[in-house]
Amino acid sequence: MCGIFGFVGEGGKVRDLVDALKKLEYRGYDSAGVAFWDEDAVRLFKIKGKVSDLETALGDILDLDIKGGIAHTRWATHGEPNDVNAHPHFDCERKIFVVHNGIIENHKELRKELEKRGHRFVSDTDTEVLAHLIEENYYGNILEALRRILPLLRGSYAVVAMHSDEVGILAAARKGSPLVIGKNENFCVVASDITPILKYTKEVIFLDEGETVSVGGTVDFVGLKDSVEKRIFHISWSERDAEKGGYKHFMLKEIMEEPEVLKNAMAGRMKGSKVEFEELKGWEDFLSNVEKVKMIACGTSHHAGMLFKYFIEDLIQIEVETDVASEMRYRKTKVDDETLFIAISQSGETADTLETVRKIKEKGGRVLSLCNVLGSTLTRESDRTIFLNAGPEISVASTKAYVAQVVVLLLLGVELARIKGKNIPAGFLDDLRDIHARFEEILENSNLIRDTAREFVKFRNFMYIGRWMGYPSALEGALKLKEISYTNATAYPAGELKHGPIALLDEDFPVFAIVPTDRMKEKMLNNIMEVKARKAKVVGVVTEGDDEVFRLLDHTLKIPKVHEYLYPLVMAPVLQLFAYFIADERGLDVDKPRNLAKSVTVE
Ligand code: F6R
């Protein structure tokens, strides 16, 4: 969603603001803008379209020496995407400039009152009220003015403001939307996520809920009432991790990184035939009494949670409930001492997931989170966090983070089984330990997946089917295909076909079957016969050497033989690459699919 960047310091150029916006592009946006001090005035450039359009509009100005400024990529919520609604927004005198992520829920009332008092609005956005409110409360100090208006606001915000008379000072505040601060010898920087900061420093500070900060010669944090001491976090990601590194798309690069991601996610956690989580130390008593697990997540992360349900119910026979967080947050979920809540989120900033976690915490529930982003809101609001260690995921479609989520959940299941005195099936841990090598084999043969994808490029409908642990894989495969290639892809447990969806199938409606050699293979074969009888073409993921399935399908994508609990894992890169190649063949913007954003910070 929207992205924020700002810097102050000596030796900067307008280009620095634009370069930072390029690092934020992956979040999804429809317009971009910058405001910067030039002598003692502030100059503003904003435009509907890409950061590259803004760059072209700026031309020679890119090389102008500046003492700082603010920049923004906007993903429209209030008001259509156009030049006027793009950020930064300004007050009546064009002295105060603001960029904002989030939603000011009471913006209509505030705007009405401000207009009554003579303020002139130019945009349709909720953000513009911030500039006018600061104008009314400004007595020579931008941070104090910003602090004065915060109690008037309802909703969520990360906001950075500047005043033309206070050259070299930015004021920032957060509630519900993240802001990160960094500092090196020459610059102080503030941004909505870590990626544009990596160029300046790897030591960062996260703004907490309700805090404000003035970023200038010094960085002064103020809590709700008083000055606060902040913890400095070291970021292990490098600037290069967040670059394409020769790949055509981030998505492809991130899929190719999966063998490494698996190793990193398991490092220090899998010791011989034992699994250990430092993060769970002291929770042994609680975990041994856990009778129920409830998963909180959205989208791809929710599919990882569904896999955990099948795995744990099989391994330990405890009940696992999964629901998308956008539903769970409005349900009256029971919270007790025997329930473990697991929140899964790549970004740690997904609004529905966070709000559900807050509700559970208010009722006294214990939340363990699985997250990829250090310092993100989820990690600070959960009781315990297990980091995924997947490195920055830039492509909007989640790939390597999903693989890391699944492997961490499998390890977590093993740990829970140990705590509860249950046996782990022979062979599972051995196969798990070497799983990165199986991924390497699959990725080396990615050209075979590309060839199959080419055969299916012309189809505009797809039905994914699977059973047991193959069902969440079907859901995830269909989600990948629909989000990046705009193909109408649905997913069903194969046993449900005859209760309705089979009516859709004919020679123009292919089926993607998840049919590894697991306990449900025979049932899947029956379902495949049913769809073939309706003349639907069937492509399937099958286990290497399983000739029975191989003979039945029109096209096969092979995965190596592993323990049946691990098929969803080795299946993941195949499903991801199939979707990737279809989208790429169609010439689509794979990394930034239309209407989508990387981190969904609004409800
Ligand atoms: C799909 C995708 C989304 C996210 C969802 C949750 O490829 O990326 O469905 O999985 O928006 O995001 P996180 O995991 O950041 O909470």
Side-chain angles (χ1 to χ4, degrees):
M1 305 220 119
C2 306
I4 288 179
F5 179 76
F7 83 86
V8 291
E10 292 299 324
K13 292 193 184 293
V14 174
R15 187 180 296 286
D16 295 319
L17 292 172
V18 175
D19 285 348
L21 288 185
K22 288 184 186 162
K23 300 261 162 63
L24 292 167
E25 280 189 295
Y26 76 97
R27 295 166 66 98
Y29 71 105
D30 42 52
S31 51
V34 292
F36 50 86
W37 290 284
D38 184 11
E39 305 295 331
D40 50 4
V42 169
R43 293 175 73 180
L44 172 72
F45 293 82
K46 49 187 192 163
I47 201 161
K48 177 189 167 189
K50 299 273 170 204
V51 174
S52 56
D53 300 325
L54 179 69
E55 197 171 23
T56 310
L58 284 162
D60 292 346
I61 297 170
L62 287 168
D63 289 318
L64 191 73
D65 292 321
I66 55 170
K67 292 206 161 79
I70 52 181
H72 192 263
T73 46
R74 172 175 188 252
W75 190 84
T77 54
H78 293 70
E80 63 178 75
N82 61 31
D83 293 357
V84 177
N85 288 337
H87 299 212
H89 288 283
F90 47 85
D91 66 326
C92 300
E93 302 295 321
R94 283 182 83 109
K95 282 181 159 279
I96 293 154
F97 293 81
V98 294
V99 287
H100 160 231
N101 289 358
I103 292 178
I104 306 299
E105 284 165 6
N106 56 339
H107 74 105
K108 278 198 188 133
E109 297 105 275
L110 292 170
R111 184 177 178 135
K112 233 192 209 159
E113 288 161 17
L114 284 159
E115 280 175 335
K116 263 198 227 150
R117 295 198 289 271
H119 290 268
R120 298 175 311 279
F121 279 75
V122 292
S123 78
D124 305 319
T125 64
D126 53 335
T127 301
E128 198 181 341
V129 298
L130 299 174
H132 293 280
L133 283 173
I134 294 176
E135 181 179 19
E136 281 197 342
N137 287 275
Y138 185 77
Y139 306 108
N141 181 317
I142 188 74
L143 181 68
E144 279 171 17
L146 178 60
R147 284 172 56 72
R148 259 180 228 117
I149 72 160
L150 298 181
L152 308 174
L153 308 176
R154 237 181 27 241
S156 64
Y157 50 79
V159 53
V160 183
M162 63 191 282
H163 194 290
S164 55
D165 296 345
E166 290 184 75
V167 181
I169 296 197
L170 299 177
R174 84 158 265 176
K175 185 181 155 227
S177 251
L179 275 179
V180 193
I181 316 288
K183 191 172 176 343
N184 67 16
E185 281 161 23
N186 300 320
F187 296 101
C188 284
V189 286
V190 52
S192 49
D193 74 50
I194 291 162
T195 42
I197 291 194
L198 293 171
K199 175 178 159 189
Y200 297 90
T201 179
K202 288 188 168 190
E203 311 293 321
V204 300
I205 297 172
F206 297 95
L207 212 59
D208 277 312
E209 285 297 275
E211 273 177 8
T212 52
V213 62
S214 88
V215 178
T218 58
V219 180
D220 297 318
F221 289 89
V222 191
L224 282 176
K225 289 198 182 80
D226 305 310
S227 266
V228 278
E229 285 286 313
K230 298 292 293 182
R231 179 170 159 211
I232 296 175
F233 287 83
H234 179 79
I235 305 298
S236 58
W237 299 354
S238 74
E239 212 192 339
R240 205 186 272 168
D241 288 339
E243 287 166 359
K244 267 190 217 155
Y247 285 96
K248 187 171 177 190
H249 294 106
F250 278 110
M251 182 172 176
L252 186 58
K253 176 191 175 228
E254 286 160 8
I255 296 171
M256 292 301 168
E257 284 171 351
E258 285 174 1
E260 221 33 54
V261 165
L262 287 166
K263 285 192 223 161
N264 291 340
M266 287 200 265
R269 292 168 180 159
M270 198 164 178
K271 299 179 176 160
S273 57
K274 274 183 69 189
V275 166
E276 256 178 47
F277 279 100
E278 273 294 313
E279 299 88 340
L280 299 179
K281 287 262 150 67
W283 260 23
E284 289 80 2
D285 285 348
F286 164 56
L287 293 175
S288 65
N289 288 326
V290 161
E291 291 297 333
K292 198 160 192 178
V293 180
K294 297 190 184 184
M295 315 298 288
I296 307 167
C298 300
T300 288
S301 301
H302 167 64
H303 297 153
M306 285 180 73
L307 282 170
F308 190 66
K309 172 186 169 77
Y310 286 95
F311 179 55
I312 284 298
E313 285 180 352
D314 210 61
L315 197 66
I316 320 182
Q317 295 89 54
I318 56 174
E319 218 181 304
V320 181
E321 183 186 306
T322 58
D323 196 357
V324 286
S326 52
E327 287 297 314
M328 197 165 178
R329 66 183 280 188
Y330 295 108
R331 287 173 35 210
K332 288 197 173 143
T333 304
K334 190 172 168 207
V335 175
D336 57 34
D337 290 344
E338 283 82 47
T339 304
L340 166 66
F341 290 87
I342 303 181
I344 313 173
S345 174
Q346 188 284 131
S347 62
E349 301 296 347
T350 302
D352 286 318
T353 304
L354 289 174
E355 211 39 57
T356 314
V357 166
R358 285 174 190 141
K359 289 209 156 146
I360 301 301
K361 299 270 316 150
E362 268 165 29
K363 290 193 212 164
R366 285 201 228 189
V367 179
L368 167 67
S369 64
L370 267 57
C371 189
N372 196 36
V373 180
L374 188 80
S376 58
T377 310
L378 180 63
T379 64
R380 282 174 299 126
E381 297 195 14
S382 313
D383 295 291
R384 300 286 174 99
T385 298
I386 298 177
F387 282 101
L388 301 171
N389 302 336
E393 191 178 67
I394 305 294
S395 185
V396 163
S398 187
T399 54
K400 63 175 181 173
Y402 171 71
V403 161
Q405 287 166 350
V406 175
V407 82
V408 167
L409 286 167
L410 291 173
L411 294 177
L412 187 61
V414 173
E415 175 68 345
L416 274 176
R418 183 192 63 80
I419 291 172
K420 289 192 160 286
K422 301 279 180 179
N423 290 330
I424 311 297
F428 166 61
L429 285 178
D430 293 336
D431 282 1
L432 182 57
R433 199 173 305 108
D434 291 335
I435 202 73
H436 61 93
R438 304 292 83 75
F439 269 61
E440 276 157 14
E441 289 157 25
I442 292 167
L443 296 175
E444 271 163 24
N445 291 310
S446 64
N447 55 329
L448 300 177
I449 304 173
R450 190 193 55 220
D451 294 345
T452 308
R454 282 187 177 145
E455 298 280 329
F456 285 90
V457 149
K458 62 176 184 286
F459 293 102
R460 291 287 159 176
N461 298 298
F462 245 103
M463 188 179 296
Y464 282 65
I465 56 170
R467 301 188 76 139
W468 187 57
M469 286 179 99
Y471 172 47
S473 293
L475 285 166
E476 178 55 13
L479 178 62
K480 286 287 97 84
L481 187 65
K482 78 182 108 185
E483 69 178 319
I484 62 168
S485 78
Y486 318 143
T487 306
N488 172 33
T490 55
Y492 284 96
E496 271 292 294
L497 282 180
K498 53 176 96 54
H499 299 288
I502 201 165
L504 288 166
L505 300 180
D506 60 21
E507 60 274 21
D508 295 324
F509 205 130
V511 168
F512 195 118
I514 310 289
V515 50
T517 315
D518 65 7
R519 65 183 74 176
M520 295 306 281
K521 188 186 103 173
E522 295 307 322
K523 298 279 174 204
M524 273 303 291
L525 290 183
N526 293 338
N527 297 128
I528 290 167
M529 298 299 281
E530 287 162 11
V531 303
K532 280 188 75 95
R534 272 76 191 176
K535 297 199 168 50
K537 259 193 181 351
V538 187
V539 54
V541 190
V542 309
T543 307
E544 190 95 54
D546 192 339
D547 292 336
E548 187 187 8
V549 188
F550 186 80
R551 275 195 297 274
L552 195 62
L553 304 185
D554 300 303
H555 290 269
T556 49
L557 298 166
K558 292 188 185 144
I559 47 172
K561 185 163 176 42
V562 286
H563 187 278
E564 63 174 350
Y565 287 153
L566 293 171
Y567 280 127
L569 202 49
V570 289
M571 186 96 52
V574 179
L575 299 170
Q576 294 163 355
L577 283 170
F578 183 77
Y580 169 77
F581 287 126
I582 288 199
D584 188 39
E585 280 291 319
R586 291 188 185 157
L588 297 170
D589 191 354
V590 175
D591 287 331
K592 287 178 260 147
R594 67 185 182 203
N595 307 335
L596 294 181
K598 181 66 184 162
S599 117
V600 185
T601 50
V602 293
E603 183 177 355

